[in-house]
Amino acid sequence: KQEVTQIPAALSVPEGENLVLNCSFTDSAIYNLQWFRQDPGKGLTSLLLIQSSQREQTSGRLNASLDKSSGRSTLYIAASQPGDSATYLCAGGSRGGYQKVTFGIGTKLQVIP
Amino acid sequence: DAEITQSPRHKITETGRQVTLACHQTWNHNNMFWYRQDLGHGLRLIHYSYGVHDTNKGEVSDGYSVSRSNTEDLPLTLESAASSQTSVYFCASSESLGQGGDEQYFGPGTRLTVT
């Protein structure tokens, strides 16, 4: 059974800093890895989807990488802004009849002006 | 723009009552999902559907049911609400794009309180 872990649970950084959020998973036969952003009281917004055949995806100031052999994915945020403050979740998809998705609990990010 | 809507956004109900949460998507996606989100847990899958008239149980399906009569809607019913079902419920959809696809899109959530 796929398990997804995100450490740390919370992170506080000053504005402008580059930062990395970590996501670990146990099943290296991962189908894809998706990063989401969740604002308080809101739904999840998809940020990046990395397919198992890819090593990274980029969107603006965000870059996500996938290393299946080590069971890790990272989300890199460049030049952080207060508007980046949110909870970031990763979700690993595994094959098995349907694409079973296992979510991490998330990292709560606070960017301090 | 395509979207997923959920209603109601907030609901308070009493133990033992039947409750239905609505989910409507205009993405024209085949796949639809219901999750619940609780403190200390990642999102957990309740039920999912691959298409009209198809429904399947997820990881935490006890006490819940769904039906899929069209592409756009997947209502979630709590047959007899229990306090353990107090949670935030999210509906999601995805298109089966084959190899490596299946990016999921989420609704805004319904906060359900069972008293």
Side-chain angles (χ1 to χ4, degrees), chain B residues 19-74:
Chain B
V19 177
T20 297
L21 309 183
C23 174
H24 179 81
Q25 54 101 359
T26 58
W27 290 97
N28 199 34
H29 284 163
N30 292 330
N31 308 327
M32 294 186 73
F33 308 85
W34 275 104
Y35 293 91
R36 59 179 289 174
Q37 185 177 39
D38 304 287
L39 280 175
H41 293 274
L43 273 77
R44 293 180 291 176
L45 183 65
I46 305 171
H47 281 285
Y48 60 99
S49 168
Y50 284 144
V52 177
H53 303 310
D54 176 76
T55 61
N56 305 277
K57 293 181 179 181
E59 160 183 19
V60 291
S61 61
D62 287 349
Y64 303 95
S65 64
V66 293
S67 62
R68 186 93 178 267
S69 59
N70 58 51
T71 300
E72 295 81 17
D73 299 289
L74 186 71

Side-chain angles (χ1 to χ4, degrees), chain A residues 35-66:
Chain A
W35 282 94
F36 295 89
R37 168 186 173 135
Q38 185 175 26
D39 293 286
K42 301 289 180 63
L44 279 68
T45 301
S46 178
L47 298 174
L48 290 164
L49 172 70
I50 312 174
Q51 300 173 13
S52 61
S53 59
Q54 300 173 321
R55 293 190 65 92
E56 64 180 284
Q57 283 283 346
T58 298
S59 176
R61 295 183 295 108
L62 306 180
N63 176 277
S65 67
L66 177 64

Side-chain angles (χ1 to χ4, degrees), chain A residues 27 35 40 53 60 69 79 82 110:
Chain A
D27 185 1
W35 282 94
S53 59
S69 62
Q110 182 182 24

